Amino acid sequence: MISQEQYPQELIRFLEASPTAFHAVVSAGTMLAAAGFQRLHEEDDWGELGPGAYYVSRNDSTIIAFRLAKGAAVCQALRMAGAHTDSPALRVKPHAVHSKSGYVQLGVEIYGGALLAPWFDRDCSLAGRVVWRSTTGQVRTGLLDFRRALVTIPSLAIHLDPEVNKQRSINRQTDMVPILALGDVPDFSSLLLQELQRQHGINMEQAELLDFDLFLYDTQAPALVGLKEEFICSARLDNLLSCHALVQALCGAEAGKDSLIVLNDHEEVGSTSMVGAQGSFLKDVLARLFQPGQVQRIVARSLFVSVDNAHALHPNFSSKYEPEHAPAMHGGPVIKINANQRYATSGVTAALLTLLCREARIPCQKFVMRNDMACGSTIGPLTAAALGLATVDVGVPQLAMHSVRETAAWLDGYSLLRLLQTFFGAADAQLSASAVD
């Protein structure tokens, strides 16, 4: 298990290797395989799984991993936790390139609730999944990451918009169009095939590009910032910091405890998909592992920890926070509560998590949104509703959520890791909300 001193650089390596949800699943799978987890495939017959550690992915962008202490047949309860692999971003449109005023521009859609202003004047690259057909007719997929600055979205000079610092509105269709090149419009398919050849050895003359799922990402590397380097600044902290903590904690968990994690895609766009929390993936895996009546008994004895970052108190905008529930950095993990069930935390599940924090010897705090502001949500309520599963929402406090570059205190991330380690080592009696009198 990584130490506190090792943690920041381990997190940075995970972030750098994971520019998209597809890459995040590969990063997670690599860590799991190194820890001895066996890969399963949905299309195969699993039979009755005995003691061991396993993982399975769907659509290359969602992954479930689990430990079975004595085999599926005798499992009584599961320590379950989840996070999401996706982040707000700019996704490349199918007809990707066009020419305007001598510039070659890249058409993009806005994925999720992105904070748009920080995307201007950034050096961005492209990464994601591509689909091609070989000369033998086989359809294949692979991941690409250009790993170099390819596009930028320049701001309009202040001389041409003198009022920009007083009021600024961003048109999502006309203002958020990256510049790729000058001159003639390149063949985008050939550009991707050339990159396939460079990264995967694919003969571009013997391949036909069929489609792609590509996203822009900021090329600025994650960094430790601050007088004492107490902050970590990076893209995709929401929610890859949580994914990293979950995988690390599960890999280091006791072999004698039944545990499971799910890292869902599409949380930022509502989770309604075959790989989102409203999809069937987790339910399908549980149905394959356990007998029908056994699933309900296990769920009744289990706790699901939904891990997603929280809003840290911003010193310049303190009026935006509920005064008695404004999380502080270095204050530990944040239990998130909402009366309208945008978070799935109840008094009982909050109490169980508080006790786990005490056992881990870390502080914890609570967040409630102001009554006059809308509240975000997580995979927690969706998972709780789909399975009838007692759930608590928790996460690390951070600033600039949904920006192209976000900020957190890395020590809070390490505290989250310690909490999850404690959770995955907890006795069955510590998990069951139904057992609380």
Side-chain angles (χ1 to χ4, degrees), residues 267 277 302-308 334-353 367 375-394 433:
E267 189 273 348
S302 300
L303 176 67
F304 185 82
V305 180
S306 167
V307 191
D308 201 345
V334 179
I335 299 172
K336 302 192 287 186
I337 299 163
N338 181 256
N340 296 305
Q341 291 299 296
R342 300 293 288 169
Y343 305 129
T345 308
S346 70
V348 170
T349 60
L352 292 174
L353 198 81
F367 172 79
C375 182
S377 192
T378 69
I379 68 168
L382 303 174
T383 305
L387 294 175
L389 181 58
T391 300
V392 58
D393 272 291
V394 65

